[in-house]
Amino acid sequence: MALSLNLPTASGSLAPYALRGTAPVRPEASVKFNRIAYSAAHVVADPLAAVDPWLQAAVDWDATIAYRRHLFSLGLGVAEAMDTAQRGMGLDWPTSLELIRRSLDAAKDVPGALVASGCGTDHLNIDDVKSVDDVIRGYEEQMAAIEALGGKLIVMASRALARVAKSPADYERVYDRILSQAKQPVVLHWLGDMFDPALAGYWGSKDVDAAMDTALAVIAAHPHKVDGIKISLLDKDKEIAMRRRLPAGVRMYTGDDFNYAELIAGDGFGGEPTHGKSDALLGIFDAIAPAASAALGALAQGNTEKFHAILGPTVPLSRHIFAAPTRFYKTGVVFMAWLNGHQTHFTMVGGQQSTRSLQHFAELFRLADAANLLEQPELAVQRMKTLLALHGVEG
């Protein structure tokens, strides 16, 4: 007999819902991917810590690192201390650096495990940042700390730079300084203002094409210091256009949580392998890790049809998790981890479990079931009923 429960509907009423999904597909352990795939991983809050959640970050380190080991076991890399981990949105720099250290240590136990770590300027008091030089010093401080641990850098977009830069030349100056000093090739990070309104006009222009020209000029000036660029604009055509203009060997890491399946599959354009496909650095891979791994394995074996059959059903779920206000997507990612038994509670750094409605969670539950992503259906139903009861829905 199918598992069932009553879920809120768009009209505000309740309706019976019976699970219809199948068991999540499991990847073949021996398959090597032909795309680099990073999952931007979330942190697990410590619900027992005596802190004020809006003001202080308390992390359950054991559960947080256990989840990274889970991602490694699926062949996925970890993009550490990014916005999925609530970086700059509850997770401060000292805690982020400790997270990076622990993640790098965990990776040493896993042959071939990939970790790249967010390097930003979020430790600066933004009201004290008066010049581009202040931004450079901020980047250099975090850069030195991460590289001292042996870490690879993801140079994150800077709210401070967006605030003080007066022209594209200011961006070129900052990135020229950072890239010229980097010990190994970095991943650049272009996060759209739908993810963080403070980043509006990044690269010196609100016109995306003009901003792209500046970013490409920065990369062209240092092609051997740039492993790739992650763009999160939720616009597949802009990503493809930029991908085709990257210098030879520089990768496009899709951050498009709406269109990732087709962008990773690629269109085979051009003579450069990196011009015809995207690699991945995605927050949604945290929530759909088993499916992402199995799909990437199928793609590596040349089975594009299977790749889309596995990954395609996850796209509606991702679009729902990343629906506007997109900056609240982390709540859906953590909710999925709770449903699937990867953590024992649904609390978040910054108290952000409160940023989505019960209707949002109900639709997320239905879409996760449709995408065959409920790893333990009985547990998922039990936990969904717990959330419903907390909102006054019994039975």
Side-chain angles (χ1 to χ4, degrees):
M1 184 175 179
L3 292 165
S4 63
L5 70 171
N6 291 320
L7 291 178
T9 67
S11 66
S13 61
L14 295 174
Y17 178 80
L19 269 67
R20 55 184 64 96
T22 61
V25 64
R26 294 296 175 186
E28 298 179 30
S30 60
V31 175
K32 301 296 183 184
F33 301 159
N34 60 0
R35 303 288 190 274
I36 295 176
Y38 287 102
S39 170
H42 74 282
V43 294
V44 182
D46 180 356
L48 303 181
V51 298
D52 294 311
W54 282 21
L55 305 176
Q56 300 159 288
V59 176
D60 181 335
W61 291 113
D62 289 343
T64 294
I65 297 304
Y67 196 73
R68 279 136 183 81
R69 293 185 185 279
H70 168 65
L71 295 172
F72 291 147
S73 76
L74 294 169
L76 300 173
V78 169
E80 192 53 274
M82 303 291 289
D83 53 291
T84 305
Q86 297 171 253
R87 177 77 177 270
M89 304 170 194
L91 197 73
D92 58 24
W93 166 238
T95 311
S96 297
L97 184 60
E98 178 64 11
L99 176 63
I100 290 167
R101 183 188 69 77
R102 288 174 182 257
S103 191
L104 288 169
D105 284 348
K108 293 174 183 176
D109 299 331
V110 184
L114 296 176
V115 177
S117 303
C119 171
T121 62
D122 51 309
H123 62 295
L124 300 175
N125 183 335
I126 199 164
D127 292 329
D128 293 337
V129 177
K130 305 300 183 185
S131 69
V132 167
D133 285 330
D134 292 337
V135 176
I136 290 172
R137 282 191 289 270
Y139 269 128
E140 288 176 338
E141 182 177 341
Q142 293 199 11
M143 183 179 183
I146 295 169
E147 289 187 334
L149 297 173
K152 174 187 176 78
L153 304 178
I154 301 171
V155 181
M156 300 174 70
S158 166
R159 292 175 180 173
L161 179 55
R163 184 170 181 173
V164 301
K166 294 180 172 58
S167 70
D170 285 336
Y171 286 86
E172 292 171 347
R173 181 177 164 214
V174 170
Y175 282 92
D176 177 76
R177 180 72 169 269
I178 299 307
L179 290 173
S180 66
Q181 297 178 80
K183 292 183 177 179
Q184 57 179 307
V186 310
V187 177
L188 298 179
H189 183 211
W190 182 4
L191 193 66
D193 59 2
M194 69 288 293
F195 287 89
D196 186 348
L199 297 176
Y202 209 74
W203 302 110
S205 177
K206 292 187 177 180
D207 179 270
V208 173
D209 292 326
M212 186 181 297
D213 288 341
T214 301
L216 285 164
V218 165
I219 295 169
H222 302 274
H224 302 298
K225 288 296 188 79
V226 181
D227 168 40
I229 182 168
K230 164 191 162 70
I231 65 171
S232 298
L233 303 179
L234 304 183
D235 185 328
K236 66 179 181 179
D237 294 326
K238 296 296 186 187
E239 176 172 322
I240 291 169
M242 188 175 190
R243 183 172 78 190
R244 293 177 176 183
R245 296 173 63 190
L246 291 172
V250 177
R251 298 175 181 273
M252 172 59 71
Y253 287 98
T254 186
D256 188 333
D257 299 280
F258 282 11
N259 303 291
Y260 51 91
E262 61 183 289
L263 290 165
I264 293 169
D267 56 14
F269 174 87
E272 290 291 335
T274 52
H275 287 176
K277 60 179 175 59
S278 294
D279 293 279
L281 198 165
L282 286 160
I284 194 57
F285 273 13
D286 182 299
I288 67 166
S293 178
L296 289 166
L299 187 64
Q301 293 178 318
N303 194 337
T304 305
E305 183 177 347
K306 184 177 180 181
F307 168 84
H308 285 295
I310 297 170
L311 214 54
T314 72
V315 173
L317 170 68
S318 186
R319 292 185 177 190
H320 181 70
I321 287 175
F322 284 80
T326 303
R327 64 187 182 276
F328 296 149
Y329 78 87
K330 294 164 283 292
T331 302
V333 170
V334 176
F335 182 62
M336 281 291 295
W338 179 58
L339 286 181
N340 282 324
H342 295 292
Q343 55 191 75
T344 59
H345 58 85
F346 181 40
T347 55
M348 295 176 65
V349 170
Q352 288 202 22
Q353 68 273 11
S354 66
T355 63
R356 295 294 200 184
S357 69
L358 184 62
Q359 281 197 16
H360 179 91
F361 292 125
E363 181 62 10
L364 193 160
F365 184 90
R366 287 186 283 260
L367 290 169
D369 178 42
N372 304 317
L373 286 169
L374 297 180
E375 298 175 29
Q376 303 178 64
E378 293 85 359
L379 178 66
V381 168
Q382 174 193 328
R383 290 186 168 180
M384 187 68 216
K385 286 182 175 180
T386 298
L387 184 71
L388 289 164
L390 186 65
H391 287 77
V393 179
E394 302 285 354

